[in-house]
Amino acid sequence: MTEADRIPVTPTSANWTPEQKAEFVRRRRGRNWALFGAMVALCLLIYAIAVVKLYHAGHMW
Amino acid sequence: MRASAPAGVAEPALLDQAILGATTSDWLALLKPRVLYLVVYTGAAGLLVAPGPLNPVLAFTAILCIAMAAGAAGAINMWYDRDIDAIMRRTAKRPVPAGRISPSGALSFGVGLSFLSVLLMWMATNLLAAAILALSIAFYVFVYTMWLKRRTPQNIVIGGAAGAFPPIIGWVAVTGHLALLPLVLFALIFIWTPPHFWALSLFASADYEKAGVPMLPVVAGAKATRRAVMSYTLWMVPISLLPYVLHEAGSFYGASALGLGAAFIWYAIGVMRDRQDATGVSLTRDAPAKAAFKYSILYLFLLFGALVVDHFL
């Protein structure tokens, strides 16, 4: 056993197995969809708040 | 300066999981969702019993902001407490100590969500509600997490105030000003918190001791903790009757508070009379403390539910 064999391999994307790569992609896709959903929901919420505020202020309809 | 975990305990190492990235549920776990139920519930109760109408969209936003702020404070707490969370069995699998989310990621998430919740609350309701929301986050993070938690067994007595803000915020979101009833509700949750957490700490004290957190059973022993659960419960019941006594709630609430309070005292007596050794350590695996802890959650749910029902009767 050489000295190099005894040094633990640091897990990096360079030495991923295909399963690890697939899992990474799956998790990233899940996070991105969740973030997209949160952003859309926030936009809709701010829009709804603006409509309600303007309505109560008598600036709409 | 931060009081550190016991000597010899290293920062939790990032596991292989870290490089794969967190799942969405890991980010949601940072918000301590189980704690959020009571926060949202008591905040919604404050909002519902407040005089005057609030548009449903704005009411929903106010409750969402309370939930977001509580979650954000929880995320910052997980960032700060990552060293002791790694030691305690109950918390070791949380995303930060388990290495699934980096500490800086958790901190950024918490701070970002804090600002968003406060700004959104201001936009939807009023400045005072947003200011009290900001105060509740700051209290939980700076007073409870960073100052009290690792220093004194009174940590949850004073720190309990952080969890008592939601009814005030809900009320102020509707009315724009403070009043007697939300302050009484604040006092009620404030005095409810110690027996609730001390019942938990009775059966989780080994974890706290390992992490060096000075919870009451660790510092003063189980016997003193049992007495403290009893005495705080006896203080809590009269305070729970104040809304009725002060004519802020009707007889349905008064009767409910009396019955629920009597049951709480019965559970506290159970904790006091648990079979124990000379030092007060339970010989029944803390069955009465576990029952009292569960009941304390039910108690708050039912009591605030009774307040809302009474308001609409």
Side-chain angles (χ1 to χ4, degrees), chain B residues 6 87-88 204-215 217-218:
Chain B
I87 300 166
M88 295 196 286
S205 62
D207 245 6
Y208 287 119
E209 193 169 5
K210 202 162 63 170
V213 179
M215 291 299 280
V218 177

Side-chain angles (χ1 to χ4, degrees), chain A residues 11-13 16 20-21 23-24 26-28 30-32 34 42 45-50 52-53 55-56, chain B residues 15-24 26-27 55 57-58 60-61 64 68 100 116 120 122-126:
Chain A
T12 68
S13 56
W16 269 344
Q20 283 175 316
K21 173 79 177 166
E23 175 64 12
F24 171 77
R26 189 187 70 79
R27 290 187 187 193
R28 186 176 59 187
R31 288 196 303 272
N32 288 346
L42 183 64
L45 185 64
I46 290 174
Y47 177 71
I49 292 169
V52 169
K53 288 274 182 183
Y55 177 73
H56 284 292
Chain B
L15 308 177
D16 293 359
Q17 290 283 334
I19 199 166
L20 289 175
T23 60
T24 308
D26 286 328
W27 288 100
N55 182 283
V57 172
L58 304 184
F60 168 78
T61 307
L64 180 71
M68 276 166 56
R100 296 193 301 278
L116 183 64
L120 210 53
W122 186 9
M123 189 179 164
T125 62
N126 55 68

Side-chain angles (χ1 to χ4, degrees), chain B residues 148-168:
Chain B
L148 297 170
K149 185 173 178 181
R150 302 179 190 214
R151 284 183 171 80
T152 166
Q154 297 300 311
N155 48 15
I156 50 132
V157 178
I158 307 165
F165 280 109
I168 295 186

Side-chain angles (χ1 to χ4, degrees), chain B residues 45-82:
Chain B
L47 193 139
L48 286 169
V49 300
L54 186 64
N55 182 283
V57 172
L58 304 184
F60 168 78
T61 307
I63 294 169
L64 180 71
C65 289
I66 292 172
M68 276 166 56
I76 299 172
N77 170 276
M78 283 202 204
W79 160 75
Y80 190 82
D81 278 348
R82 61 192 183 279

Side-chain angles (χ1 to χ4, degrees), chain B residues 50-310:
Chain B
L54 186 64
N55 182 283
V57 172
L58 304 184
F60 168 78
T61 307
I63 294 169
L64 180 71
C65 289
I66 292 172
M68 276 166 56
I76 299 172
N77 170 276
M78 283 202 204
W79 160 75
Y80 190 82
D81 278 348
R82 61 192 183 279
D83 55 343
I84 56 175
D85 279 353
I87 300 166
M88 295 196 286
R89 199 179 54 170
R90 190 170 62 86
T91 53
K93 288 181 182 164
R94 284 177 174 175
V96 179
R100 296 193 301 278
I101 291 176
S102 69
S104 59
L107 177 63
S108 309
F109 182 61
V111 172
L113 210 54
S114 298
F115 278 105
L116 183 64
S117 64
V118 172
L119 287 174
L120 210 53
M121 179 67 99
W122 186 9
M123 189 179 164
T125 62
N126 55 68
L127 182 58
L128 184 59
I132 299 172
L133 190 68
L135 176 69
S136 71
I137 299 170
F139 195 93
Y140 186 76
V141 170
F142 296 110
V143 178
Y144 171 68
T145 302
M146 295 185 181
W147 179 33
L148 297 170
K149 185 173 178 181
R150 302 179 190 214
R151 284 183 171 80
T152 166
Q154 297 300 311
N155 48 15
I156 50 132
V157 178
I158 307 165
F165 280 109
I168 295 186
I169 298 166
W171 178 285
V172 173
V174 177
T175 65
H177 56 79
L178 279 169
L180 185 60
L181 182 58
L183 292 175
V184 170
L185 298 179
F186 175 91
L188 176 59
I189 301 178
F190 181 73
I191 203 83
W192 164 89
T193 306
H196 166 73
F197 271 106
W198 283 333
L200 167 73
S201 66
L202 273 171
F203 55 88
S205 62
D207 245 6
Y208 287 119
E209 193 169 5
K210 202 162 63 170
V213 179
M215 291 299 280
L216 197 59
V218 177
V219 176
K223 205 166 241 175
T225 307
R226 294 174 196 284
R227 280 197 300 270
V229 168
M230 186 75 233
S231 77
Y232 272 79
T233 305
L234 290 175
W235 276 104
M236 187 194 69
V237 174
I239 290 174
S240 74
L241 290 167
L242 276 181
Y244 173 70
V245 173
L246 297 170
H247 304 292
E248 296 281 344
S251 51
F252 177 77
Y253 171 81
S256 303
L258 202 60
L260 291 166
F264 207 135
I265 292 172
W266 186 76
Y267 277 100
I269 291 171
V271 172
M272 280 275 284
R273 298 182 62 180
D274 187 17
R275 282 198 301 118
Q276 53 201 278
D277 64 16
T279 59
V281 174
S282 174
L283 301 173
T284 63
R285 294 186 166 196
D286 281 308
K290 287 173 185 167
F293 175 72
K294 280 183 193 165
Y295 177 73
S296 67
I297 297 169
L298 181 68
Y299 170 83
L300 209 63
F301 262 105
L302 293 178
L303 193 67
F304 274 75
L307 187 71
V308 173
V309 170
D310 185 274

